[in-house]
Amino acid sequence: MTEQIGYSNVSDRFGFRALGTFRCRRSSETLMLAVMAAVYTLCLCVTIVNMVNVLNSDNSVPIFEYDKTMADYAPTLNIVCVIISVIIMLLLTIGVFVAAVIITGGEEYSYTANDEKMTITDPKGKKLEFYYSDIKSVKYEKLTLFSQRQRGFDVFIDNGCHVFQYQYIYGKNKLLREEKHTPFFILEERAGLRTRRYTDEMGV
């Protein structure tokens, strides 16, 4: 039994054709975030301990006199170092935030589809071919990050011999965040598991 859903087929006079790109979660995402968090936490702790030690010490500075040495003005240098450390930590915080956005942004995959099969190419250039006649099921589960906020779908494709997993991440368009908006819907449609319904409002 098929499910009526969504928007029109993409086809032309030469048969069905579709191609595009999508992003999936990095396999090393958790490790990369953990290492980055550990390094950032270590740097933050070292900076805070150093600041506390400096601020708890005698930071009085003598009035300038010709017979004073640099050692007499060491507290001033300590305060300067603390200020520099704070600036560095602020820059490091910004850098960590940008790196986290890049890491959680995933990796780009590409796909092409015709009347017979869909070919998915991973970032390393490895290709997987999914023949529609082999597809038994395509299942979607919620993919989250840090909380219950959904960031995409955990997609499981069963071709009868193996279950393939893709951790699909949403694109920037917040209106295209349903199962029917993923390239994996093509597999369901062409395998006869679900069919699209022509609707004017989708415009595709």
Side-chain angles (χ1 to χ4, degrees):
M1 179 178 180
T2 60
E3 177 185 346
Q4 298 292 327
I5 209 165
Y7 48 98
S8 64
N9 289 305
V10 181
S11 59
D12 56 32
R13 60 182 177 173
F14 302 108
F16 176 81
R17 294 290 185 274
L19 58 86
T21 61
F22 61 96
R23 302 190 74 81
C24 284
R25 177 181 179 272
R26 299 173 188 270
S27 58
S28 59
E29 179 185 275
T30 301
L31 177 61
M32 294 172 70
L33 289 175
V35 171
M36 185 177 66
V39 172
Y40 177 73
T41 301
L42 178 62
C43 292
L44 186 62
C45 289
V46 170
T47 301
I48 292 176
V49 170
N50 180 61
M51 288 175 59
V52 171
N53 290 334
V54 171
L55 296 176
N56 285 336
S57 62
D58 181 12
N59 293 312
S60 59
V61 180
I63 299 175
F64 179 77
E65 297 177 8
Y66 70 90
D67 60 339
K68 299 296 182 182
T69 64
M70 286 301 297
D72 296 313
Y73 295 95
T76 301
L77 297 178
N78 289 339
I79 296 298
V80 171
C81 289
V82 168
I83 294 173
I84 293 175
S85 297
V86 171
I87 294 174
I88 291 175
M89 285 308 305
L90 289 175
L91 294 176
L92 183 59
T93 300
I94 296 173
V96 166
F97 176 78
V98 173
V101 171
I102 294 174
I103 292 172
T104 57
E107 298 178 306
E108 187 173 89
Y109 289 65
S110 63
Y111 71 91
T112 58
N114 55 30
D115 286 318
E116 181 184 14
K117 65 183 180 180
M118 172 185 277
T119 302
I120 297 179
T121 306
D122 68 17
K124 296 180 181 179
K126 181 181 178 181
K127 298 179 183 291
L128 281 178
E129 296 182 335
F130 296 96
Y131 288 86
Y132 307 131
S133 58
D134 296 333
I135 302 300
K136 304 301 180 185
S137 67
V138 180
K139 298 181 179 179
Y140 303 84
E141 295 182 2
K142 182 186 295 186
L143 180 65
T144 60
L145 176 66
F146 302 137
S147 67
Q148 294 303 309
R149 183 178 64 84
Q150 187 169 352
R151 65 187 293 211
F153 295 106
D154 221 343
V155 185
F156 299 89
I157 305 170
D158 184 357
N159 69 351
C161 298
H162 187 75
V163 176
F164 298 89
Q165 180 183 17
Y166 289 92
Q167 294 186 307
Y168 173 86
I169 296 176
Y170 290 142
K172 294 181 179 180
N173 192 334
K174 295 183 178 181
L175 298 177
L176 304 178
R177 295 191 170 183
E178 299 181 35
E179 295 174 6
K180 63 186 179 183
H181 300 137
T182 71
F184 307 103
F185 190 87
I186 295 174
L187 291 174
E188 296 184 89
E189 178 194 25
R190 307 308 293 186
L193 302 175
R194 293 204 271 188
T195 59
R196 299 177 193 259
R197 179 177 62 245
Y198 285 80
T199 57
D200 295 333
E201 62 268 23
M202 291 304 299
V204 288

